[in-house]
């Protein structure tokens, strides 16, 4: 439209001046005069119009349209020159939005995914955006160091609902979290802050330390690793097949970084399948093939005890080149195969050049990739845009970073997962006591649980820090040491009544803060609950339910790969039950 206005003004001006030269022969002498006066129309100063009219209608229109084009050009130039400043001001005034910090590929992909999901996104990065990049992405941007408090304030961080720290440097990501914490200290409902950590072991250690400090800060903070998120996404999008009459078999080959996350999430996925099926499901058979397969299996099983109860894992200390020689590796011997080679290109080449691998999988061979997302898109576009053959659907390149950019899965942070675990244990305990699903508001799966009850479970998790302080224990990544587990269990037994009473009092404070009062029977509409009374007045059954919640704490933590470590000395036998735990 902008170009059309200029072209119309230029054309009408030329025609009008040509007509005027016929009416007034002495005013315009040749074609060069026509072109000169035509161009003058755009600059609000034409010598020709110093003489009175009348003028041809084409010239009348052109002498108003041409200045309009000039004004639009000036306005557009100013907008482009001031685009960064305008977007910075809009970002500062933004509210209920998402802030993505970082120049990394993952940060760019996450921002694009969030915008596509309908979120209002403010990106903070050191490298400036170009005007066309702004226009294509259509989200707000702030240029600067995301560890600077003024830069984050300029991104409207205090009024955002979620913050992602996704630079390529872990220390920068921690600095962003520290700065965000200072900015939102006084906010009643602070945003969630998710910090990317590039080492999986460090990520688990930081999650443990955060769990032990959650009670000292109202900030909802969690650390995440892209492998963990992508492994969860894998089974959401591609659930394992189940064949009646025989066990499901899976092969995980290679020593890549994705391997352990895949093994653990596969076991979790199968455990959920067993619990939800309503009928007995055989244990999942998993073959682990890698140069360090036996060592990896020992470490994974010691950290995640549920692994051996859900899966039957066999370890083979072989390179991936030797897996086709396994006796089990026949035609359709595995329902699914995963190739997690440490050398991405080498693993991809192996998957592309080994027909026996395709024949060995009943459904598909998955190859996790980080730098080959474009190649994965070439294989797995829609039916009209596939560039490469997927070997009849057998070969599946799985771009880890692309699938890790799922805000819903990142939001299922440690607090959320532990809260779900607590609720699932509650459901099982109530069902064993004879309560059926749907008989009470809390007797429903997590996905249907009212938000007020979800918050109660999250508060229970966030109060773990206070319970640990009382026990003289800390949370650490699990290494399978029986001595530490025994000491922690004894610490819980020593304080079981005190901790159960404290948990009940915390629950009462939370309920009363939401407007609930004591009343019989329970009334969701009037917000009345029969358990809102002092500990001594509770029935023995309700007291025992609170004790069970405390006793379950080590098992809840072990599901996430954590254990309780007691720092205080062991309690002497003659003083058990009355010791003051430091």
């Amino acid at each position: 439209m902008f170009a059309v206005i200029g072209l119309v003004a230029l054309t009408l001006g030329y025609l009008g001046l040509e007509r005027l030269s016929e009416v007034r022969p002495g005013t315009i002498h040749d074609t060069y005069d026509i072109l000169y006066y035509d161009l003058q129309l755009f600059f609000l100063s034409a010598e020709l119009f110093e003489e009175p009219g009348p003028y041809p209608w084409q010239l009348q229109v052109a002498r108003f349209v041409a200045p309009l084009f000039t004004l639009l050009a000036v306005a557009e130039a100013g907008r482009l020159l001031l685009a960064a400043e305008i977007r910075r001001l809009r970002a500062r005034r933004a509210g209920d939005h998402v802030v993505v910090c970082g120049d990394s590929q993952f940060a760019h992909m996450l921002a694009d995914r969030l915008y596509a999901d309908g979120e209002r996104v403010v990106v903070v990065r050191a490298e400036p955006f170009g005007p066309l990049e702004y226009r294509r992405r259509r989200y707000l941007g702030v240029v600067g160091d995301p560890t600077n408090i003024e830069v984050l304030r300029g991104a409207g961080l205090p009024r955002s609902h979620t913050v992602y720290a996704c630079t390529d440097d872990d220390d920068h990501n921690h600095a962003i979290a520290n700065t965000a914490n200072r900015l939102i200290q006084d906010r009643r409902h602070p945003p969630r802050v998710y910090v990317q950590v590039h080492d999986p072991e460090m990520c688990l250690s930081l999650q443990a330390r955060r769990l032990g400090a959650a009670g000292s800060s109202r900030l909802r903070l969690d650390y995440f690793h892209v492998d963990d998120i992508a492994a969860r996404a894998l089974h959401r999008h591609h659930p394992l097949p189940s064949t009646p009459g025989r066990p499901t078999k899976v092969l995980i080959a290679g020593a890549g970084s994705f391997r352990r996350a895949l093994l653990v999430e596969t076991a979790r996925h199968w455990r959920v399948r067993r619990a939800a099926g309503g009928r007995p499901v055989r244990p999942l058979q998993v073959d682990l093939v890698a140069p360090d397969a036996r060592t990896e299996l020992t470490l994974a099983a010691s950290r995640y005890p549920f692994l051996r109860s859900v899966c039957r894992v066999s370890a083979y200390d072989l390179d991936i080149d030797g897996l086709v020689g396994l006796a089990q590796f026949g035609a359709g011997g595995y329902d699914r195969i995963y190739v997690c080679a440490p050398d991405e290109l080498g693993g991809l080449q192996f998957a592309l050049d080994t027909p026996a691998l395709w024949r060995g999988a009943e459904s598909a061979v998955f190859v996790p990739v980080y730098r080959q997302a474009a190649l994965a898109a070439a294989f797995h576009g829609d039916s009209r845009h596939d560039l490469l053959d997927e070997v009849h659907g057998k070969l599946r390149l799985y771009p880890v970073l692309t699938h890790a950019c799922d805000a819903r899965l990142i939001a299922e942070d440690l607090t959320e997962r532990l809260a779900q675990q607590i609720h699932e244990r509650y459901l099982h305990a109530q069902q064993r006591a004879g309560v059926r699903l749907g008989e009470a508001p809390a007797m429903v799966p997590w996905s249907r649980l009212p938000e007020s009850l979800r918050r109660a479970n999250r508060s229970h998790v966030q109060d773990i820090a206070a319970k640990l302080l009382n026990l003289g224990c800390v949370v650490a990544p699990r290494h399978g040491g029986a001595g530490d587990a025994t000491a922690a269990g004894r610490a819980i037994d020593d304080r079981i009544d005190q901790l159960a009473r404290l948990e009940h009092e915390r629950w009462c404070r939370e309920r009363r803060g939401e407007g609930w009062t004591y009343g019989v029977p329970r009334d969701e509409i009037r917000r009345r609950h029969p358990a809102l009374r002092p500990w001594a007045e509770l029935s023995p059954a309700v007291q025992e339910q609170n004790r069970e919640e405390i006793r379950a704490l080590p098992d809840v933590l072990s599901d996430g790969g954590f254990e309780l470590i007691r720092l205080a000395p062991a309690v002497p036998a003659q003083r058990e039950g009355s010791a003051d735990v430091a």
Side-chain angles (χ1 to χ4, degrees):
M1 184 62 67
F2 189 70
V4 166
I5 291 174
L7 185 61
V8 167
L10 192 66
T11 303
L12 289 178
Y14 186 91
L15 294 175
L17 289 169
E18 193 175 42
R19 183 73 177 273
L20 186 64
S21 67
E22 297 173 359
V23 178
R24 300 180 186 177
T27 306
I28 301 176
H29 301 91
D30 53 25
T31 303
Y32 292 105
D33 282 349
I34 293 176
L35 292 174
Y36 178 74
Y37 289 131
D38 196 10
L39 293 175
Q40 275 192 334
L41 295 175
F42 290 88
F43 298 99
L44 296 173
S45 61
E47 301 171 4
L48 186 65
F49 295 110
E50 293 178 359
E51 299 181 9
Y55 303 104
W57 70 268
Q58 297 94 332
L59 191 57
Q60 291 282 31
V61 174
R63 69 172 180 165
F64 287 100
V65 175
L68 175 63
F69 174 84
T70 302
L71 292 175
L72 289 175
V74 172
E76 179 67 8
R79 189 188 68 80
L80 291 175
L81 290 173
L82 298 175
E85 183 66 16
I86 292 171
R87 288 181 179 273
R88 187 187 66 80
L89 294 175
R90 288 177 58 196
R92 179 181 285 271
R93 293 195 302 269
D96 195 31
H97 59 288
V98 176
V99 178
V100 180
C101 303
D103 293 80
S104 66
Q105 179 187 3
F106 180 76
H108 295 170
M109 295 170 68
L110 178 60
D112 287 344
R113 178 75 174 271
L114 288 165
Y115 178 79
D117 289 342
E119 290 282 359
R120 190 177 189 187
V121 182
V122 176
V123 177
V124 183
R125 72 185 207 184
E127 181 182 349
F129 280 104
L132 295 180
E133 194 174 10
Y134 267 136
R135 179 172 293 177
R136 181 175 68 85
R137 284 187 166 86
R138 294 183 180 276
Y139 45 64
L140 302 176
V142 175
V143 178
D145 181 2
T147 64
N148 184 284
I149 193 168
E150 292 303 323
V151 172
L152 292 185
R153 183 178 284 116
L157 185 142
R159 293 180 300 280
S160 65
H161 65 77
T162 310
V163 180
Y164 299 93
C166 306
T167 72
D168 284 325
D169 187 293
D170 283 355
D171 196 54
H172 271 73
N173 292 338
H174 302 323
I176 293 169
N178 294 337
T179 306
N181 189 36
R182 292 198 301 271
L183 266 177
I184 60 182
Q185 282 292 338
D186 299 329
R187 183 172 170 182
R188 183 176 180 182
H189 299 292
R192 297 182 177 190
V193 179
Y194 298 112
V195 178
Q196 183 183 6
V197 179
H198 294 84
D199 179 76
E201 292 296 316
M202 177 61 73
C203 183
L204 195 68
S205 298
L206 292 175
Q207 286 178 335
R209 301 280 52 79
R210 176 57 191 167
L211 189 61
S216 63
S217 170
R218 292 170 52 247
L219 182 67
R220 179 79 176 267
L221 170 68
D222 191 43
Y223 300 89
F224 71 92
H225 190 275
V226 294
D227 286 350
D228 297 330
I229 307 298
R232 274 186 274 151
L234 175 57
H235 292 299
R236 300 257 177 125
H237 300 306
H238 306 282
L240 285 174
S242 180
T243 305
R246 66 173 181 84
T248 301
K249 294 185 65 176
V250 171
L251 170 65
I252 300 176
S257 63
F258 193 65
R259 176 186 61 182
R260 184 177 297 182
L262 177 61
L263 176 61
V264 174
E265 290 302 327
T266 300
R268 285 201 177 107
H269 168 71
W270 197 251
R271 183 178 62 180
V272 172
R273 173 81 67 86
R274 292 176 62 179
R279 60 182 181 178
V281 177
R282 298 181 182 184
L284 180 68
Q285 293 190 11
V286 180
D287 285 350
L288 188 63
V289 177
D292 60 342
R294 290 189 175 88
T295 302
E296 173 63 18
L297 176 58
T298 301
L299 292 174
S302 63
R303 175 161 293 172
Y304 301 96
F306 70 87
L307 191 63
R308 290 191 184 276
S309 65
V310 177
C311 305
R312 292 178 180 171
V313 187
S314 302
Y316 301 91
D317 290 343
L318 299 170
D319 291 327
I320 60 171
D321 293 333
L323 67 87
V324 294
L326 290 175
Q328 301 90 329
F329 204 87
Y334 293 98
D335 292 277
R336 185 168 293 173
I337 297 175
Y338 302 96
V339 179
C340 308
D343 175 16
E344 183 174 308
L345 288 178
L348 181 57
Q349 191 73 49
F350 175 75
L352 291 172
D353 294 347
T354 312
L357 194 66
W358 314 334
R359 291 192 293 266
E362 183 69 25
S363 60
V365 178
F366 281 81
V367 184
V369 293
Y370 294 84
R371 299 182 301 276
Q372 306 295 325
L375 183 59
F379 270 102
H380 313 305
D382 59 49
S383 57
R384 295 174 300 170
H385 298 95
D386 275 352
L387 300 179
L388 299 171
D389 173 29
E390 300 175 348
V391 193
H392 294 187
K394 286 291 186 77
L395 183 62
R396 302 289 303 182
L397 271 64
Y398 187 74
V400 173
L401 295 183
T402 301
H403 290 282
C405 295
D406 191 331
R408 290 168 296 184
L409 290 178
I410 296 175
E412 291 180 7
D413 55 13
L414 182 61
T415 298
E416 195 78 4
R417 295 197 301 275
L418 293 180
Q420 290 185 35
Q421 185 72 8
I422 290 171
H423 179 65
E424 288 172 6
R425 294 182 68 88
Y426 167 79
L427 289 180
H428 294 156
Q430 292 295 98
Q431 286 178 295
R432 287 195 300 270
V435 182
R436 291 182 298 178
L437 289 175
E439 286 190 4
M443 290 298 297
V444 293
W446 179 264
S447 59
R448 294 166 49 198
L449 196 67
E451 183 58 30
S452 61
L453 296 181
R454 292 190 190 189
R455 284 198 302 269
N457 283 284
R458 295 183 193 116
S459 298
H460 182 25
V461 173
Q462 291 169 338
D463 193 61
I464 287 177
K467 296 180 179 67
L468 295 178
L469 183 63
N470 194 291
L471 289 170
C473 295
V474 295
V475 179
R478 186 180 180 88
H479 295 289
D484 290 333
T486 302
R490 185 181 299 126
I492 290 177
D493 291 338
D494 291 341
R495 297 292 185 90
I496 187 66
D497 283 332
Q498 180 185 2
L499 291 172
R501 177 177 57 80
L502 291 174
E503 171 58 23
H504 175 70
E505 291 173 353
R506 182 204 63 78
W507 177 83
C508 288
R509 287 193 303 271
E510 179 185 84
R511 281 303 205 182
R512 291 191 180 103
E514 294 181 353
W516 286 72
T517 58
Y518 170 75
V520 179
R522 177 172 176 166
D523 190 330
E524 293 290 325
I525 299 177
R526 297 181 179 180
R527 296 194 174 190
R528 294 180 179 178
H529 202 291
L532 275 170
R533 57 199 324 191
W535 172 260
E537 299 178 13
L538 294 176
S539 66
V542 176
Q543 289 183 346
E544 184 60 25
Q545 182 179 327
N546 280 273
R547 295 188 188 99
E548 284 300 319
E549 290 179 357
I550 301 302
R551 293 191 188 103
L553 188 57
D555 290 337
V556 170
L557 293 174
S558 72
D559 187 81
F562 305 105
E563 63 181 341
L564 290 177
I565 304 295
R566 188 173 187 181
L567 296 182
V571 180
Q574 67 272 19
R575 297 177 60 193
E576 286 189 7
S578 61
D580 186 15
V581 182

